[in-house]
Coordinates of all heavy atoms in Angstrom, one line a residue:
M14 N 167.5 42.7 58.1 CA 167.0 44.1 58.1 C 168.1 45.0 58.4 O 168.9 44.9 59.4 CB 165.9 44.3 59.1 CG 165.2 45.6 59.0 SD 163.7 45.7 59.9 CE 164.3 46.4 61.5
A15 N 168.4 46.0 57.5 CA 169.5 47.0 57.7 C 169.1 48.0 58.8 O 167.9 48.4 58.9 CB 169.8 47.7 56.4
I16 N 170.1 48.4 59.6 CA 169.9 49.4 60.6 C 170.2 50.7 60.0 O 171.2 50.9 59.3 CB 170.8 49.1 61.8 CG1 170.5 47.8 62.5 CG2 170.7 50.3 62.8 CD1 171.4 47.4 63.6
A17 N 169.3 51.7 60.1 CA 169.4 53.0 59.5 C 170.5 53.8 60.3 O 170.5 53.8 61.5 CB 168.1 53.7 59.6
K18 N 171.4 54.4 59.5 CA 172.4 55.2 60.1 C 171.8 56.5 60.6 O 171.0 57.1 59.9 CB 173.5 55.5 59.0 CG 174.6 56.4 59.6 CD 175.6 56.7 58.5 CE 176.7 57.6 59.1 NZ 177.5 58.2 58.1
P19 N 172.1 57.0 61.8 CA 171.6 58.2 62.2 C 172.0 59.3 61.2 O 173.1 59.3 60.7 CB 172.3 58.5 63.6 CG 172.8 57.2 64.0 CD 173.0 56.4 62.8
R20 N 171.1 60.2 61.0 CA 171.4 61.3 60.0 C 172.3 62.3 60.7 O 172.5 62.4 61.9 CB 170.1 62.0 59.6 CG 169.4 62.8 60.6 CD 168.3 63.6 60.1 NE 168.0 64.6 61.1 CZ 167.0 65.4 61.1 NH1 166.2 65.4 60.2 NH2 166.9 66.3 62.1
E21 N 172.8 63.2 59.9 CA 173.7 64.2 60.3 C 173.1 65.6 59.9 O 172.6 65.7 58.8 CB 175.1 64.0 59.8 CG 175.8 62.8 60.3 CD 177.1 62.4 59.6 OE1 177.1 62.5 58.4 OE2 178.0 62.0 60.3
V22 N 173.3 66.5 60.7 CA 172.8 67.9 60.4 C 174.0 68.8 60.3 O 174.9 68.7 61.1 CB 171.9 68.4 61.5 CG1 171.5 69.8 61.3 CG2 170.6 67.5 61.7
F23 N 174.1 69.5 59.2 CA 175.2 70.4 58.9 C 174.8 71.8 59.3 O 173.9 72.4 58.6 CB 175.6 70.4 57.5 CG 176.4 69.1 57.1 CD1 175.8 67.9 57.3 CD2 177.6 69.2 56.6 CE1 176.5 66.7 56.9 CE2 178.3 68.0 56.2 CZ 177.7 66.8 56.4
I24 N 175.4 72.4 60.3 CA 175.2 73.8 60.6 C 176.3 74.6 59.9 O 177.5 74.4 60.1 CB 175.3 74.1 62.1 CG1 174.2 73.3 62.9 CG2 175.1 75.6 62.4 CD1 174.4 73.3 64.4
Q25 N 175.9 75.4 58.9 CA 176.8 76.1 58.1 C 177.1 77.5 58.6 O 176.1 78.2 59.0 CB 176.3 76.1 56.6 CG 176.0 74.7 56.1 CD 175.3 74.8 54.8 OE1 175.3 75.7 54.0 NE2 174.5 73.7 54.5
G26 N 178.3 78.0 58.4 CA 178.7 79.3 58.9 C 178.3 80.4 57.9 O 179.0 81.3 57.6
V27 N 177.0 80.3 57.4 CA 176.5 81.3 56.5 C 175.1 81.6 56.9 O 174.3 80.7 57.2 CB 176.5 80.8 55.0 CG1 175.8 81.8 54.1 CG2 177.8 80.3 54.6
T28 N 174.8 82.9 57.1 CA 173.4 83.3 57.5 C 172.4 83.1 56.4 O 172.8 82.9 55.2 CB 173.4 84.7 58.0 OG1 173.7 85.6 56.9 CG2 174.4 84.9 59.2
S29 N 171.2 83.2 56.7 CA 170.1 83.0 55.6 C 170.2 84.0 54.5 O 169.8 83.8 53.4 CB 168.7 83.0 56.3 OG 168.4 84.2 56.8
D30 N 170.8 85.2 54.8 CA 171.0 86.2 53.8 C 172.4 86.1 53.1 O 172.7 87.0 52.3 CB 170.7 87.6 54.3 CG 171.6 88.0 55.4 OD1 172.5 87.3 55.8 OD2 171.5 89.2 55.9
G31 N 173.1 85.0 53.4 CA 174.4 84.8 52.6 C 175.6 85.4 53.3 O 176.7 85.3 52.7
R32 N 175.5 86.0 54.4 CA 176.7 86.6 55.1 C 177.5 85.5 55.8 O 176.9 84.6 56.4 CB 176.3 87.7 56.1 CG 175.8 89.0 55.4 CD 175.4 90.1 56.4 NE 174.3 89.6 57.2 CZ 174.3 89.5 58.5 NH1 175.4 89.7 59.2 NH2 173.2 89.1 59.1
T33 N 178.8 85.6 55.8 CA 179.7 84.7 56.6 C 179.5 85.0 58.1 O 179.6 86.2 58.5 CB 181.1 84.9 56.1 OG1 181.2 84.6 54.8 CG2 182.1 83.9 56.9
F34 N 179.3 84.0 58.8 CA 179.1 84.1 60.3 C 180.5 84.4 60.9 O 181.5 83.8 60.6 CB 178.5 82.9 60.9 CG 178.1 83.0 62.3 CD1 177.2 83.9 62.8 CD2 178.8 82.1 63.2 CE1 177.0 84.0 64.1 CE2 178.5 82.2 64.6 CZ 177.6 83.2 65.0
R35 N 180.5 85.2 61.9 CA 181.7 85.6 62.7 C 181.5 85.3 64.1 O 180.3 85.4 64.6 CB 182.1 87.0 62.5 CG 182.5 87.4 61.0 CD 183.8 86.8 60.7 NE 184.2 87.1 59.3 CZ 184.6 86.3 58.4 NH1 184.8 85.0 58.8 NH2 185.0 86.6 57.2
P36 N 182.4 85.0 65.0 CA 183.9 85.0 64.7 C 184.3 83.8 63.8 O 183.5 82.8 63.7 CB 184.5 84.9 66.0 CG 183.5 84.2 66.9 CD 182.2 84.6 66.3
S37 N 185.5 83.9 63.2 CA 185.9 82.9 62.3 C 186.1 81.5 62.9 O 186.1 80.5 62.2 CB 187.2 83.3 61.6 OG 188.2 83.5 62.5
D38 N 186.3 81.4 64.2 CA 186.5 80.1 64.9 C 185.2 79.6 65.6 O 185.3 78.8 66.5 CB 187.6 80.2 65.9 CG 187.3 81.2 67.1 OD1 186.4 82.0 67.0 OD2 188.0 81.1 68.1
W39 N 184.0 80.1 65.2 CA 182.8 79.7 65.8 C 182.6 78.2 65.8 O 182.1 77.7 66.8 CB 181.6 80.4 65.1 CG 181.3 79.8 63.8 CD1 181.8 80.2 62.6 CD2 180.4 78.7 63.5 NE1 181.3 79.4 61.5 CE2 180.5 78.5 62.1 CE3 179.6 77.9 64.3 CZ2 179.7 77.5 61.5 CZ3 178.9 76.9 63.7 CH2 179.0 76.7 62.3
A40 N 182.9 77.5 64.7 CA 182.7 76.1 64.6 C 183.5 75.3 65.6 O 183.0 74.4 66.3 CB 183.0 75.6 63.2
E41 N 184.8 75.7 65.8 CA 185.6 75.1 66.8 C 185.1 75.3 68.2 O 185.2 74.5 69.1 CB 187.1 75.5 66.7 CG 187.7 75.1 65.4 CD 187.4 75.9 64.2 OE1 186.7 77.0 64.3 OE2 187.9 75.5 63.0
R42 N 184.6 76.6 68.5 CA 184.1 76.9 69.8 C 182.8 76.1 70.1 O 182.7 75.6 71.2 CB 183.7 78.4 69.9 CG 184.9 79.3 69.9 CD 184.5 80.7 70.0 NE 185.5 81.7 69.8 CZ 185.5 82.9 70.3 NH1 184.4 83.4 70.9 NH2 186.5 83.8 70.1
L43 N 181.9 76.0 69.1 CA 180.7 75.2 69.4 C 181.0 73.8 69.6 O 180.5 73.1 70.5 CB 179.7 75.4 68.2 CG 178.4 74.7 68.3 CD1 177.6 75.1 69.5 CD2 177.6 74.9 67.0
A44 N 181.8 73.2 68.7 CA 182.2 71.8 68.9 C 183.0 71.6 70.2 O 182.8 70.5 70.8 CB 183.0 71.3 67.7
G45 N 183.8 72.5 70.6 CA 184.5 72.4 71.8 C 183.6 72.4 73.0 O 183.8 71.6 74.0
A46 N 182.5 73.2 73.0 CA 181.5 73.2 74.0 C 180.8 71.8 74.1 O 180.3 71.5 75.2 CB 180.5 74.3 73.8
M47 N 180.7 71.1 73.1 CA 180.0 69.8 73.0 C 181.0 68.6 73.2 O 180.6 67.5 73.2 CB 179.3 69.6 71.7 CG 178.2 70.6 71.4 SD 176.8 70.3 72.6 CE 177.0 71.7 73.7
S48 N 182.3 68.9 73.4 CA 183.3 67.8 73.5 C 183.1 66.8 74.5 O 183.6 65.7 74.4 CB 184.7 68.4 73.6 OG 184.9 69.1 74.8
C49 N 182.4 67.1 75.6 CA 182.2 66.1 76.7 C 181.1 65.1 76.4 O 181.0 64.1 77.0 CB 181.9 66.8 78.0 SG 180.3 67.8 77.9
F50 N 180.4 65.3 75.3 CA 179.3 64.3 74.9 C 179.9 63.3 74.0 O 180.0 63.5 72.8 CB 178.1 65.1 74.3 CG 177.5 66.0 75.2 CD1 177.7 67.4 75.1 CD2 176.7 65.6 76.3 CE1 177.2 68.3 76.0 CE2 176.1 66.5 77.2 CZ 176.4 67.8 77.0
R51 N 180.3 62.2 74.6 CA 181.0 61.1 73.9 C 180.4 59.8 74.1 O 179.7 59.6 75.2 CB 182.5 61.0 74.3 CG 183.2 62.3 74.1 CD 184.6 62.2 74.8 NE 185.4 63.4 74.5 CZ 186.1 63.6 73.4 NH1 186.2 62.7 72.5 NH2 186.7 64.7 73.3
P52 N 180.6 58.8 73.3 CA 180.1 57.5 73.6 C 180.7 57.0 74.9 O 181.9 57.1 75.1 CB 180.6 56.6 72.4 CG 180.9 57.6 71.3 CD 181.2 58.9 72.0
G53 N 179.9 56.5 75.8 CA 180.3 56.1 77.1 C 180.4 57.2 78.1 O 180.8 57.0 79.2
G54 N 180.1 58.4 77.7 CA 180.1 59.6 78.6 C 181.5 60.2 78.7 O 182.5 59.8 78.1
A55 N 181.6 61.3 79.4 CA 182.8 62.0 79.6 C 183.8 61.2 80.4 O 183.4 60.5 81.3 CB 182.6 63.4 80.3
K56 N 185.1 61.3 80.1 CA 186.1 60.6 80.8 C 187.0 61.6 81.5 O 187.3 62.7 81.0 CB 187.0 59.8 79.8 CG 186.2 58.8 78.9 CD 185.9 57.6 79.7 CE 185.3 56.5 78.8 NZ 183.9 56.2 78.9
G57 N 187.5 61.3 82.6 CA 188.5 62.1 83.3 C 189.9 61.7 83.1 O 190.2 60.8 82.3
G58 N 190.8 62.4 83.7 CA 192.2 62.1 83.5 C 193.0 62.9 82.6 O 192.4 63.8 81.9
I59 N 194.3 62.6 82.4 CA 195.1 63.4 81.5 C 194.7 63.2 80.1 O 194.4 62.1 79.6 CB 196.6 62.9 81.7 CG1 197.1 63.2 83.1 CG2 197.5 63.6 80.6 CD1 198.5 62.6 83.4
G60 N 194.6 64.3 79.4 CA 194.2 64.3 78.0 C 192.7 64.2 77.7 O 192.3 64.1 76.6
A61 N 191.9 64.1 78.8 CA 190.4 63.9 78.6 C 189.8 65.2 77.9 O 188.8 65.0 77.3 CB 189.8 63.7 79.9
H62 N 190.4 66.3 78.0 CA 189.9 67.5 77.4 C 190.2 67.7 76.0 O 189.7 68.6 75.3 CB 190.4 68.7 78.2 CG 191.8 68.9 78.1 ND1 192.7 68.1 78.9 CD2 192.6 69.7 77.4 CE1 194.0 68.5 78.6 NE2 193.9 69.4 77.7
I63 N 191.1 66.8 75.4 CA 191.6 67.0 74.1 C 190.7 66.3 73.1 O 190.4 65.1 73.3 CB 193.0 66.5 73.9 CG1 193.9 67.3 74.9 CG2 193.5 66.6 72.5 CD1 195.4 66.7 75.0
G64 N 190.3 66.9 72.1 CA 189.5 66.3 71.0 C 188.0 66.7 71.0 O 187.5 67.2 72.0
Y65 N 187.4 66.5 69.9 CA 186.0 66.8 69.8 C 185.1 65.5 70.0 O 185.6 64.4 69.8 CB 185.7 67.4 68.4 CG 186.4 68.7 68.1 CD1 187.4 68.8 67.2 CD2 186.0 69.8 68.8 CE1 188.0 70.0 67.0 CE2 186.6 71.0 68.6 CZ 187.6 71.1 67.7 OH 188.3 72.3 67.5
S66 N 183.9 65.7 70.3 CA 182.9 64.6 70.4 C 182.7 64.1 68.9 O 182.6 64.9 68.0 CB 181.6 65.1 71.0 OG 180.6 64.2 70.8
P67 N 182.5 62.8 68.8 CA 182.1 62.3 67.4 C 180.7 62.7 67.0 O 180.3 62.6 65.9 CB 182.2 60.8 67.5 CG 182.1 60.5 69.0 CD 182.7 61.7 69.7
Y68 N 179.9 63.3 68.0 CA 178.6 63.7 67.7 C 178.5 65.1 67.2 O 177.4 65.6 66.8 CB 177.7 63.6 69.0 CG 177.7 62.1 69.5 CD1 178.1 61.9 70.8 CD2 177.3 61.1 68.7 CE1 178.0 60.6 71.3 CE2 177.2 59.8 69.2 CZ 177.6 59.5 70.5 OH 177.6 58.3 71.0
C69 N 179.6 65.9 67.3 CA 179.6 67.3 67.0 C 181.0 67.7 66.6 O 181.9 68.0 67.4 CB 179.1 68.1 68.2 SG 178.8 69.8 67.9
V70 N 181.2 67.7 65.2 CA 182.6 67.9 64.7 C 182.6 69.1 63.8 O 181.8 69.3 62.9 CB 182.9 66.6 63.9 CG1 184.3 66.7 63.3 CG2 182.8 65.4 64.7
P71 N 183.6 70.0 64.0 CA 183.8 71.1 63.1 C 184.5 70.6 61.8 O 185.3 69.7 61.9 CB 184.7 72.0 63.9 CG 185.5 71.1 64.8 CD 184.6 70.0 65.1
T72 N 184.2 71.2 60.7 CA 184.8 70.9 59.4 C 184.7 72.1 58.5 O 184.0 73.1 58.8 CB 184.2 69.6 58.8 OG1 185.0 69.2 57.7 CG2 182.8 69.8 58.4
T73 N 185.3 72.0 57.4 CA 185.1 73.1 56.3 C 184.7 72.3 55.1 O 185.4 71.3 54.7 CB 186.5 73.8 56.1 OG1 186.8 74.4 57.4 CG2 186.3 74.9 55.1
I74 N 183.7 72.8 54.4 CA 183.2 72.3 53.2 C 183.3 73.4 52.2 O 182.6 74.4 52.3 CB 181.8 71.7 53.3 CG1 181.8 70.6 54.3 CG2 181.3 71.2 51.9 CD1 180.5 70.0 54.6
G75 N 184.2 73.2 51.2 CA 184.5 74.3 50.3 C 185.2 75.4 51.0 O 186.2 75.1 51.7
Q76 N 184.6 76.5 51.1 CA 185.2 77.6 51.9 C 184.3 78.0 53.1 O 184.5 79.0 53.7 CB 185.3 78.9 51.0 CG 186.2 78.7 49.8 CD 187.7 78.5 50.3 OE1 188.2 79.1 51.1 NE2 188.3 77.5 49.6
V77 N 183.3 77.1 53.4 CA 182.4 77.3 54.4 C 182.6 76.5 55.7 O 182.7 75.3 55.6 CB 180.9 77.0 53.9 CG1 179.9 77.3 55.0 CG2 180.6 77.9 52.7
K78 N 182.8 77.2 56.8 CA 183.0 76.5 58.1 C 181.6 75.9 58.5 O 180.6 76.5 58.3 CB 183.3 77.5 59.2 CG 184.7 78.0 59.1 CD 185.6 77.3 60.0 CE 187.0 78.0 60.1 NZ 187.7 77.6 61.2
C79 N 181.7 74.7 59.0 CA 180.4 73.9 59.3 C 180.7 73.2 60.6 O 181.8 72.9 61.0 CB 180.1 72.9 58.3 SG 179.8 73.6 56.6
V80 N 179.6 72.8 61.3 CA 179.6 71.8 62.4 C 178.7 70.7 62.0 O 177.5 71.0 61.6 CB 179.2 72.4 63.7 CG1 179.1 71.4 64.8 CG2 180.2 73.5 64.1
V81 N 179.2 69.5 62.0 CA 178.4 68.3 61.6 C 177.9 67.7 63.0 O 178.7 67.3 63.8 CB 179.2 67.3 60.9 CG1 178.3 66.1 60.5 CG2 179.8 67.9 59.6
V82 N 176.6 67.7 63.1 CA 176.0 67.2 64.4 C 175.2 65.9 64.1 O 174.3 65.9 63.2 CB 175.0 68.2 65.0 CG1 174.5 67.8 66.3 CG2 175.7 69.6 65.1
N83 N 175.7 64.8 64.7 CA 175.0 63.5 64.5 C 173.7 63.5 65.3 O 173.7 63.9 66.5 CB 176.0 62.4 65.0 CG 175.5 61.1 64.6 OD1 174.4 60.6 65.0 ND2 176.3 60.4 63.8
E84 N 172.7 63.0 64.7 CA 171.4 62.9 65.4 C 171.4 62.1 66.6 O 170.5 62.2 67.5 CB 170.3 62.4 64.4 CG 168.9 62.6 64.9 CD 167.9 62.2 63.9 OE1 168.1 61.1 63.2 OE2 166.9 62.9 63.7
A85 N 172.4 61.2 66.7 CA 172.5 60.4 67.9 C 172.6 61.2 69.2 O 172.2 60.8 70.3 CB 173.7 59.4 67.8
L86 N 173.1 62.4 69.1 CA 173.2 63.3 70.2 C 171.8 63.6 70.8 O 171.7 63.8 72.0 CB 173.9 64.6 69.8 CG 174.1 65.7 70.9 CD1 175.0 65.2 72.0 CD2 174.7 67.0 70.3
R87 N 170.8 63.7 70.0 CA 169.5 64.0 70.4 C 169.0 62.9 71.4 O 168.4 63.2 72.4 CB 168.5 64.0 69.2 CG 167.0 64.2 69.6 CD 166.1 64.1 68.5 NE 166.2 65.4 67.7 CZ 165.5 65.6 66.6 NH1 164.8 64.7 66.1 NH2 165.5 66.8 66.1
K88 N 169.3 61.6 71.2 CA 168.9 60.6 72.1 C 169.8 60.5 73.4 O 169.4 60.3 74.5 CB 169.0 59.2 71.4 CG 167.9 59.1 70.3 CD 167.9 57.8 69.7 CE 166.8 57.6 68.7 NZ 167.2 57.7 67.3
I89 N 171.1 60.8 73.2 CA 172.1 60.7 74.3 C 171.8 61.9 75.3 O 171.8 61.7 76.5 CB 173.5 60.8 73.7 CG1 173.8 59.5 73.0 CG2 174.5 60.9 74.9 CD1 175.0 59.5 72.1
E90 N 171.7 63.1 74.7 CA 171.5 64.3 75.6 C 170.7 65.3 74.9 O 171.2 66.1 74.1 CB 172.9 64.9 75.9 CG 172.8 66.0 76.9 CD 172.0 65.7 78.1 OE1 172.3 64.9 78.9 OE2 170.9 66.4 78.3
P91 N 169.3 65.2 75.0 CA 168.4 66.1 74.3 C 168.7 67.6 74.6 O 168.6 68.4 73.7 CB 167.1 65.8 74.9 CG 167.2 64.4 75.4 CD 168.6 64.2 75.9
M92 N 169.2 68.0 75.7 CA 169.5 69.4 76.0 C 170.7 69.8 75.2 O 170.8 71.0 74.7 CB 169.8 69.6 77.5 CG 168.5 69.5 78.3 SD 168.7 69.7 80.1 CE 169.2 71.4 80.2
A93 N 171.7 69.0 75.0 CA 172.9 69.3 74.1 C 172.4 69.5 72.7 O 172.8 70.5 72.0 CB 173.9 68.3 74.2
W94 N 171.5 68.6 72.2 CA 170.9 68.7 70.9 C 170.2 70.1 70.7 O 170.4 70.8 69.8 CB 170.0 67.6 70.6 CG 169.3 67.7 69.3 CD1 168.0 68.2 69.1 CD2 169.7 67.3 68.0 NE1 167.7 68.2 67.8 CE2 168.7 67.6 67.1 CE3 170.9 66.8 67.5 CZ2 168.8 67.4 65.7 CZ3 171.0 66.5 66.1 CH2 170.0 66.8 65.3
D95 N 169.4 70.4 71.7 CA 168.6 71.6 71.7 C 169.6 72.8 71.7 O 169.3 73.8 71.0 CB 167.7 71.7 72.9 CG 166.5 70.8 72.7 OD1 166.2 70.3 71.6 OD2 165.9 70.6 73.8
F96 N 170.7 72.7 72.4 CA 171.6 73.8 72.5 C 172.2 74.1 71.1 O 172.2 75.3 70.7 CB 172.8 73.5 73.5 CG 173.8 74.5 73.5 CD1 173.7 75.7 74.3 CD2 175.0 74.4 72.8 CE1 174.7 76.7 74.3 CE2 176.0 75.3 72.8 CZ 175.8 76.5 73.6
V97 N 172.7 73.1 70.4 CA 173.3 73.4 69.1 C 172.3 73.8 68.1 O 172.6 74.7 67.2 CB 174.2 72.2 68.6 CG1 175.4 71.9 69.4 CG2 173.3 70.9 68.4
M98 N 171.1 73.2 68.1 CA 170.1 73.6 67.1 C 169.6 75.0 67.4 O 169.3 75.8 66.5 CB 168.9 72.6 67.1 CG 169.4 71.2 66.7 SD 170.4 71.1 65.2 CE 169.2 71.6 64.0
N99 N 169.5 75.4 68.7 CA 169.1 76.8 69.0 C 170.2 77.8 68.7 O 169.9 78.9 68.3 CB 168.7 76.9 70.5 CG 167.4 76.2 70.8 OD1 166.5 76.1 70.0 ND2 167.2 75.8 72.1
F100 N 171.4 77.3 68.8 CA 172.5 78.2 68.4 C 172.4 78.5 66.9 O 172.5 79.7 66.5 CB 173.9 77.5 68.7 CG 175.1 78.3 68.2 CD1 175.7 79.2 69.0 CD2 175.6 78.1 66.9 CE1 176.8 79.9 68.5 CE2 176.7 78.8 66.4 CZ 177.3 79.7 67.3
A101 N 172.1 77.5 66.1 CA 171.9 77.8 64.7 C 170.8 78.7 64.4 O 170.9 79.6 63.6 CB 171.8 76.4 64.0
R102 N 169.6 78.4 65.1 CA 168.4 79.3 64.9 C 168.7 80.7 65.3 O 168.4 81.7 64.6 CB 167.3 78.7 65.6 CG 166.0 79.4 65.3 CD 164.8 79.1 66.2 NE 165.2 79.7 67.5 CZ 165.1 79.1 68.7 NH1 164.6 77.9 68.8 NH2 165.4 79.8 69.8
D103 N 169.2 80.9 66.5 CA 169.4 82.2 67.1 C 170.4 83.0 66.3 O 170.3 84.3 66.3 CB 169.9 82.1 68.5 CG 168.9 81.5 69.5 OD1 167.7 81.4 69.1 OD2 169.3 81.1 70.6
N104 N 171.3 82.4 65.6 CA 172.3 83.1 64.8 C 172.0 83.1 63.3 O 172.8 83.6 62.5 CB 173.7 82.5 65.0 CG 174.2 82.9 66.4 OD1 174.5 84.0 66.7 ND2 174.2 81.9 67.3
D105 N 170.7 82.6 63.0 CA 170.2 82.7 61.6 C 171.2 81.9 60.6 O 171.4 82.3 59.5 CB 170.0 84.1 61.2 CG 169.2 84.2 59.9 OD1 168.3 83.3 59.7 OD2 169.4 85.2 59.1
L106 N 171.7 80.8 61.1 CA 172.6 80.0 60.3 C 171.9 79.0 59.4 O 170.8 78.5 59.8 CB 173.7 79.3 61.1 CG 174.6 80.1 62.0 CD1 175.5 79.3 62.9 CD2 175.4 81.1 61.1
Q107 N 172.4 78.7 58.3 CA 171.8 77.7 57.4 C 172.1 76.3 57.9 O 173.2 76.0 58.4 CB 172.3 77.8 56.0 CG 172.0 79.2 55.3 CD 172.5 79.3 53.9 OE1 172.8 78.3 53.2 NE2 172.7 80.5 53.5
V108 N 171.0 75.5 57.9 CA 171.1 74.1 58.4 C 170.7 73.2 57.3 O 169.7 73.4 56.6 CB 170.3 73.9 59.7 CG1 170.3 72.5 60.1 CG2 170.7 74.9 60.8
A109 N 171.4 72.1 57.1 CA 171.1 71.1 56.1 C 171.2 69.7 56.6 O 172.2 69.4 57.3 CB 172.0 71.3 54.8
D110 N 170.3 68.8 56.2 CA 170.4 67.4 56.5 C 171.2 66.8 55.4 O 171.0 67.1 54.3 CB 169.0 66.7 56.5 CG 168.2 67.1 57.7 OD1 168.7 67.6 58.7 OD2 166.9 66.9 57.7
A111 N 172.2 66.0 55.8 CA 173.1 65.4 54.9 C 173.8 64.2 55.5 O 173.5 63.9 56.7 CB 174.1 66.4 54.3
C112 N 174.7 63.7 54.8 CA 175.5 62.6 55.3 C 177.0 62.9 54.9 O 177.3 63.1 53.7 CB 175.1 61.2 54.7 SG 176.0 59.8 55.3
L113 N 177.8 62.9 55.9 CA 179.3 63.2 55.6 C 179.9 61.9 55.0 O 179.9 60.9 55.7 CB 180.0 63.6 56.9 CG 181.4 64.1 56.8 CD1 181.4 65.3 55.9 CD2 182.0 64.4 58.1
L114 N 180.4 62.0 53.8 CA 181.0 60.9 53.2 C 182.5 60.8 53.5 O 183.1 61.9 53.5 CB 180.8 60.9 51.7 CG 179.3 60.9 51.2 CD1 179.2 61.1 49.7 CD2 178.7 59.6 51.6
P115 N 183.0 59.7 53.6 CA 184.5 59.6 53.9 C 185.3 60.0 52.6 O 184.7 59.9 51.5 CB 184.7 58.1 54.2 CG 183.6 57.4 53.6 CD 182.4 58.4 53.6
D116 N 186.5 60.4 52.8 CA 187.3 60.8 51.7 C 187.6 59.5 50.8 O 187.8 58.4 51.4 CB 188.7 61.4 52.1 CG 188.5 62.7 52.8 OD1 187.6 63.5 52.4 OD2 189.3 63.1 53.7
P117 N 187.6 59.7 49.5 CA 187.9 58.5 48.7 C 189.4 58.0 48.9 O 190.2 58.8 49.2 CB 187.7 59.0 47.3 CG 187.9 60.5 47.3 CD 187.5 60.9 48.7
P118 N 189.6 56.7 48.7 CA 191.0 56.2 48.9 C 191.9 56.8 47.8 O 191.5 57.1 46.7 CB 190.8 54.7 48.7 CG 189.5 54.4 48.2 CD 188.7 55.7 48.4
R119 N 193.1 57.0 48.2 CA 194.1 57.6 47.3 C 194.8 56.6 46.5 O 195.1 55.6 46.8 CB 195.1 58.4 48.1 CG 194.5 59.6 48.8 CD 195.5 60.4 49.5 NE 194.8 61.5 50.3 CZ 195.1 62.7 50.2 NH1 196.0 63.2 49.4 NH2 194.4 63.6 50.9

């Protein structure tokens, strides 16, 4: 029996009426706020603050800034999941269920 991959939710930097969301670094800020939610929990020490959580990653698709949120975050930390989903709702951002595909080999 195959194990289902957790779905991913794409929070897009476009409002429901088509306007680009500002500030321009919103995706990096949101993902940065979620950076401590990692497999195995937050780690201390030198360099522990560097990098994004694999559960909440900023990216650009086409010309649109997005944050890809893995549904696994919901089980690991429901309040963090609620935070990012409420952020999208409160700012009237478009949200889509999808799966981020890896880049094709060169």
Side-chain angles (χ1 to χ4, degrees):
M14 185 166 95
I16 297 173
K18 180 182 178 194
R20 73 174 194 184
E21 295 170 320
V22 175
F23 286 58
I24 301 173
Q25 302 171 25
V27 178
T28 62
S29 64
D30 63 0
R32 290 181 292 118
T33 300
F34 184 64
R35 298 285 181 228
S37 61
D38 66 344
W39 73 269
E41 292 82 4
R42 290 182 188 200
L43 180 58
M47 296 291 107
S48 66
C49 63
F50 299 103
R51 301 173 177 273
K56 305 280 190 250
I59 296 174
H62 63 284
I63 298 172
Y65 296 113
S66 165
Y68 303 122
C69 191
V70 181
T72 190
T73 301
I74 300 175
Q76 299 295 316
V77 179
K78 291 261 190 164
C79 300
V80 173
V81 180
V82 184
N83 190 301
E84 191 177 43
L86 182 62
R87 178 185 279 178
K88 292 183 176 108
I89 293 165
E90 184 51 66
M92 290 177 66
W94 173 266
D95 289 344
F96 176 81
V97 294
M98 298 313 291
N99 288 335
F100 176 89
R102 186 196 69 223
D103 293 347
N104 290 290
D105 194 29
L106 299 178
Q107 295 180 24
V108 176
D110 288 341
C112 180
L113 188 61
L114 299 174
D116 292 330
R119 294 183 186 235

